[in-house]
Amino acid sequence: MGRKIIFVAWLVFSSSLANAQSEKKKLPDVQVNSLEGVKTQTSTWNNQEKPILISFWATWCKPCVEELDAISEVYENWKQETGVRVYAVSIDDSRNTSKIKPLVNGKEWPFEVFNDLNGDLRRAMNVNNVPHTFLLNSKREIVYEHNSYSPGDEEEVFEQIKKLTQVK
Amino acid sequence: MKYTRSWIFLLILLITYLSGFIVKAQNPSIGNISGNFQLDGQYYQPDASIHALPVPQKILSNSFFNLNYQTEILSAGIRYESYLDALKGYDQRNKGNGIAYRYLGFHKDGLEITAGNFYEQFGSGLTLRTYEDWSLGYDNSLDGIRAKYSPMKGIYLKGLIGRQRLFFDYGPGIVRGGDFEIHVSELHEGLSTMKTKYILGGSFVSKYQADADPIYKLPENVGAFSGRLQINRGNFSLGGEYAYKVNDPSTVNNYIYKEGQALLVSASYSKKGLGISLSAKRMDNMSFRSDRSSSGNVLMLNYLPALTKQNTYQLANFYPYASQPNGEMGLQAELEYKIKAGSLLGGSNGTQLSIHLSGINSIDTVSTNTEYGYHSDFLKVGKKIYYRELNILATRKLSKSLRLHLSYMYLIFNKDVIQGVPGFGIIHAQTGIAEIKWQINPRNSMRTEWQHMYTVKDKGSWAMGLIEYSVSPHYYINVFDNYNYGNAIKSDRLHYFSASAGYTKNTNRISLGYGRQREGILCVGGICRNVPASNGFIINISSSF
């Protein structure tokens, strides 16, 4: 009987804990590498309370590269209308690490690119497959996630970004 | 007595419920609970014409459920995995259900401690890389203690000790290691203005395994160490890593007492519209496992990156390269270039061009007829060709709604060595691929792929066609066919026809497929698994929350 009480109490406590947690998930503070190998904590990613878009991709993932190509074409417009900042996080391992910067520059992508070499950020954000894109609001809370890419999906993402800037 | 017990019970419930609010009021960042889930299942139908393996269970599945808890300082996670039984093509030693991964961790004031299972990498992974790749069925996590500390800006230290995961159990070895990395320009205010940035590092990993062999005197402690240097200046980047492993007789190298060496070098130049990268590598007896008698994709400690292109088109991936830990030498060059719009080759919208060239040979070995096995000159390249690839990909926007990709690949593949199946010799293959994407309107799009691989040996030539229709952001449907029209055996000139449809809502994904799957090999990073031919239904469910 005693054990049952403890078990139920634990259940209730943890469920109340789940209630007590912040309503939305926040960006975890994890170390990733810049394309020059500089260790960067994600807590330093900052857009002065404007929306942040984090897109997980890999050099070998065609839909990911298409999504980022599509975003790079409209990035200037997006920035002007909403002030959004895009961070593209590559999950490439050491086989492809040295190829990331040449690919990014060869395609003239205008946003910041990082390499999650050890997979720590990917695991902390529960990314199963790429592409996986997250939209953060001014409080660095995840308000929208999307886990695949078909041409036209970036319009849906833009609608979500605009929603954030209009709610204010 | 009963009466009092119920009161105590209710009181405890009330306190725990209210404490949730108290805790929230005191500390608004109580933490995040998140997780993810995936299920891959298949129903197998017998199909003798494609030589499909019999599946007495009829339904096989691999799945996992991951739960993570994070606050500013603490973190914890647990993963449950289930193989009832494992899908064909995955290591069948994955059997049953269990907790495959759990950890507790905290980080404060520059110190990070993890107790339990963890994934870690030193440099490029030549001495240590533990990671997981669900599509390969690969997970070599270490279970033990890991500490990371940054004593001052620019210096990063790591230390660890643990046992390695082997399915739902552990391997026999004990692994310990450490790594340091110094970012010179971050060390001191005055150094941050240096134009040339240096990053240097080194690692040491050692494994202990008892010697129970009655014949050989086997080394119980085997160590490997490495040094690395990365130099960045403006648009240029140059890096290298060298690793050395002491004598490590094992099943993989036929129990020789030779030392192992590896060298990886890469250089790149990039600016707007142009990226060039060059890499070279040499591996000599660098298989490093925590169990000297293990085989298969288990208990590997280090990672020997394949110096070849990771292809995504189906027929371009027909003969993928697998790293040869016993010895290989390779070179790779890649060019990424945006041909300007309006120029002769660029067309009205510009053309993206990617050219890849890679070549891998054996190392030069001279047998010594002693327990050292052989001697290999560091700078000499072996005479056996393992792999050659020339791959050209061009992408052009034909109009606002039409995009065209064209690719040509020339391949030389030593199937005997790379796949370990003697009798096929060296395969020459040429593959042509065309892909068209049509954005019909903002929400509807279609794409089609046409591929052809011409080869004389092995199964002969193949042709492949695919059509996919998607409705953004939720639905897709696709059908494709692989046709082995060139097979020397007439009864094997078969169509492998497949159809699938999927639905995605934010982070929930479900897809159902039906059809024939041809035999193939899936390789990620140089680690491969065989995919046998099969026929039936496939379901994939994936979610993260």
Side-chain angles (χ1 to χ4, degrees):
Chain A
M1 184 61 194
R3 264 192 239 162
K4 282 187 194 164
I5 294 178
I6 293 169
F7 178 62
V8 173
W10 175 80
L11 270 181
V12 175
F13 179 66
S14 49
S15 64
S16 61
L17 206 63
N19 281 331
Q21 76 167 333
S22 13
E23 293 294 328
K24 301 200 173 78
K25 292 188 287 180
K26 283 196 151 185
L27 176 68
D29 182 21
V30 171
Q31 201 176 69
V32 292
N33 288 352
S34 77
L35 292 188
E36 277 82 39
V38 175
K39 295 194 194 296
T40 316
Q41 292 289 139
T42 52
S43 51
T44 62
W45 288 356
N46 184 2
N47 195 21
Q48 278 106 11
E49 310 220 327
K50 286 186 256 186
I52 294 177
L53 194 72
I54 298 177
S55 181
F56 283 85
W57 68 288
T59 56
W60 42 261
C61 164
K62 272 194 301 128
C64 307
V65 173
E66 276 165 34
E67 179 177 33
L68 290 169
D69 274 338
I71 294 177
S72 73
E73 279 170 25
V74 293
Y75 195 45
E76 275 309 312
N77 273 358
W78 283 18
K79 275 200 293 190
Q80 276 181 14
E81 269 204 58
T82 61
V84 67
R85 188 167 181 179
V86 173
Y87 290 96
V89 181
S90 156
I91 61 165
D92 283 291
D93 60 34
S94 58
R95 174 194 192 177
N96 293 319
T97 296
S98 59
K99 297 189 214 167
I100 301 174
K101 198 170 177 200
L103 184 134
V104 170
N105 280 343
K107 286 177 167 288
E108 296 185 307
W109 282 353
F111 27 74
E112 286 155 274
V113 183
F114 289 86
N115 183 206
D116 183 22
L117 187 61
N118 198 39
D120 296 320
L121 185 62
R122 194 189 96 222
R123 275 188 289 275
M125 294 184 83
N126 297 295
V127 172
N128 274 359
N129 301 299
V130 282
H132 196 138
T133 304
F134 296 84
L135 178 61
L136 311 180
N137 65 11
S138 56
K139 297 195 210 110
R140 304 161 75 80
E141 292 167 344
I142 298 169
V143 294
Y144 173 76
E145 284 179 65
H146 184 68
N147 181 214
S148 69
Y149 179 71
S150 318
D153 283 358
E154 70 276 10
E155 310 249 329
E156 165 82 8
V157 173
F158 191 44
E159 291 301 312
Q160 296 289 333
I161 302 174
K162 282 200 284 196
K163 258 199 230 172
L164 278 182
T165 51
Q166 277 154 17
V167 162
K168 282 209 199 136
Chain B
M1 271 300 274
K2 265 195 197 167
Y3 201 48
T4 336
R5 258 198 229 163
S6 321
W7 269 111
I8 295 172
F9 181 63
L10 283 172
L11 201 62
I12 291 173
L13 273 182
L14 195 64
I15 291 173
T16 48
Y17 185 65
L18 287 176
S19 64
F21 290 100
I22 297 168
V23 170
K24 183 181 179 179
Q26 276 180 341
N27 187 0
S29 62
I30 193 64
N32 278 336
I33 294 178
S34 63
N36 55 356
F37 167 77
Q38 187 160 333
L39 171 84
D40 301 315
Q42 193 162 348
Y43 171 79
Y44 295 82
Q45 285 173 341
D47 190 340
S49 53
I50 59 172
H51 317 288
L53 300 170
V55 181
Q57 306 96 325
K58 292 203 177 169
I59 296 178
L60 298 175
S61 74
N62 296 1
S63 85
F64 72 83
F65 189 113
N66 222 339
L67 199 62
N68 281 317
Y69 175 72
Q70 252 171 40
T71 68
E72 275 181 49
I73 305 169
L74 295 171
S75 59
I78 189 165
R79 188 194 325 136
Y80 172 89
E81 285 181 14
S82 159
Y83 303 95
L84 292 169
D85 288 315
L87 292 168
K88 287 286 168 224
Y90 286 83
D91 198 318
Q92 295 296 308
R93 295 174 285 178
N94 270 313
K95 221 171 166 61
N97 310 331
I99 303 292
Y101 173 88
R102 77 278 176 275
Y103 78 94
L104 295 167
F106 81 85
H107 71 108
K108 196 167 188 281
D109 301 333
L111 173 69
E112 185 184 318
I113 304 278
T114 313
N117 294 84
F118 57 85
Y119 299 106
E120 186 54 72
Q121 177 170 345
F122 292 163
S124 303
L126 293 179
T127 49
L128 184 80
R129 180 182 182 209
T130 60
Y131 67 107
E132 59 94 23
D133 187 317
W134 183 250
S135 64
L136 268 186
Y138 189 93
D139 185 343
N140 66 342
S141 68
L142 282 171
D143 183 355
I145 308 282
R146 171 185 62 181
K148 286 161 79 161
Y149 185 57
S150 180
M152 58 180 270
K153 199 163 187 301
I155 299 187
Y156 303 91
L157 304 171
K158 294 178 193 172
L160 51 87
I161 185 163
R163 293 188 293 175
Q164 223 175 358
R165 176 185 178 189
L166 177 66
F167 310 114
F168 288 118
D169 199 350
Y170 299 101
I174 300 178
V175 180
R176 43 273 156 112
D179 180 277
F180 77 88
E181 193 167 290
I182 301 176
H183 293 234
V184 176
S185 51
E186 289 172 32
L187 288 176
H188 189 262
E189 282 287 322
L191 294 169
S192 61
T193 53
M194 270 166 51
K195 276 223 172 105
T196 311
K197 311 240 184 258
Y198 298 90
I199 300 175
L200 53 100
S203 69
F204 178 72
V205 176
S206 147
K207 57 141 174 158
Y208 168 80
Q209 183 183 10
D211 173 16
D213 194 293
I215 308 168
Y216 294 106
K217 184 173 191 303
L218 297 168
E220 296 193 319
N221 288 292
V222 174
F225 58 87
S226 80
R228 59 189 186 264
L229 177 63
Q230 177 82 30
I231 305 173
N232 290 317
R233 188 191 172 101
N235 294 335
F236 291 95
S237 158
L238 176 66
E241 183 166 349
Y242 171 78
Y244 181 90
K245 181 188 65 145
V246 305
N247 59 3
D248 181 23
S250 70
T251 306
V252 176
N253 67 10
N254 281 321
Y255 287 92
I256 57 172
Y257 286 74
K258 186 180 190 299
E259 83 291 346
Q261 294 187 71
L263 177 66
L264 276 176
V265 181
S266 70
S268 74
Y269 170 75
S270 68
K271 64 172 195 188
K272 280 253 172 258
L274 172 70
I276 303 173
S277 77
L278 291 162
S279 342
K281 80 162 171 181
R282 179 189 163 84
M283 301 281 151
D284 175 10
N285 189 23
M286 274 308 284
S287 162
F288 190 34
R289 294 174 181 241
S290 64
D291 178 2
R292 62 177 80 87
S293 59
S294 71
S295 59
N297 288 338
V298 291
L299 297 176
M300 288 191 259
L301 278 174
N302 63 356
Y303 174 66
L304 306 173
L307 216 68
T308 59
K309 186 175 161 79
Q310 185 125 22
N311 283 311
T312 43
Y313 288 113
Q314 286 195 28
L315 293 186
N317 229 0
F318 203 90
Y319 293 111
Y321 186 72
S323 296
Q324 302 300 307
N326 282 341
E328 63 178 10
M329 279 182 83
L331 266 179
Q332 181 186 227
E334 266 198 8
L335 168 76
E336 194 73 47
Y337 182 58
K338 199 167 193 159
I339 307 177
K340 294 275 183 301
S343 63
L344 183 67
L345 284 171
S348 51
N349 289 317
T351 301
Q352 190 75 37
L353 187 66
S354 307
I355 300 179
H356 169 99
L357 208 55
S358 59
I360 306 188
N361 270 33
S362 61
I363 50 172
D364 178 77
T365 61
V366 178
S367 184
T368 59
N369 290 320
T370 64
E371 68 274 14
Y372 291 96
Y374 62 88
H375 166 79
S376 177
D377 201 320
F378 197 85
L379 294 172
K380 257 195 183 167
V381 181
K383 294 217 170 54
K384 263 202 204 159
I385 293 181
Y386 285 169
Y387 189 87
R388 294 278 187 277
E389 180 183 348
L390 165 66
N391 194 318
I392 304 174
L393 172 67
T395 304
R396 183 188 288 189
K397 219 176 164 184
L398 296 176
S399 72
K400 197 159 185 276
S401 56
L402 269 182
R403 203 184 283 256
L404 172 68
H405 303 258
L406 283 175
S407 173
Y408 170 75
M409 174 165 134
Y410 182 75
L411 175 71
I412 298 177
F413 186 83
N414 188 332
K415 191 171 160 112
D416 289 5
V417 170
I418 298 172
Q419 292 180 8
V421 278
F424 290 88
I426 296 188
I427 296 176
H428 293 247
Q430 292 192 63
T431 307
I433 298 166
E435 182 184 0
I436 297 178
K437 291 203 185 89
W438 177 27
Q439 180 109 33
I440 304 165
N441 60 48
R443 292 289 186 215
N444 293 279
S445 64
M446 196 168 103
R447 74 179 185 98
T448 173
E449 276 178 33
W450 301 94
Q451 306 183 19
H452 179 257
M453 179 173 77
Y454 172 73
T455 180
V456 171
K457 291 188 183 169
D458 193 24
K459 291 206 172 97
S461 300
W462 288 78
M464 183 261 191
L466 174 153
I467 297 179
E468 184 175 295
Y469 187 85
S470 29
V471 180
S472 164
H474 297 307
Y475 307 94
Y476 81 84
I477 182 165
N478 88 16
V479 294
F480 66 90
D481 182 30
N482 278 294
Y483 182 34
N484 189 197
Y485 75 90
N487 203 317
I489 306 168
K490 278 208 171 132
S491 59
D492 281 345
R493 289 185 192 164
L494 301 165
H495 285 270
Y496 292 77
F497 183 80
S498 226
S500 77
Y503 174 74
T504 307
K505 181 147 194 211
N506 296 336
T507 57
N508 293 332
R509 259 161 79 147
I510 179 166
S511 74
L512 284 165
Y514 178 72
R516 263 186 185 163
Q517 194 177 345
R518 65 164 168 80
E519 183 191 3
I521 301 189
L522 173 68
C523 290
V524 183
I527 312 279
C528 306
R529 70 172 179 87
N530 287 322
V531 181
S534 65
N535 189 336
F537 288 94
I538 297 179
I539 182 168
N540 300 100
I541 303 174
S542 154
S543 177
S544 70
F545 53 88

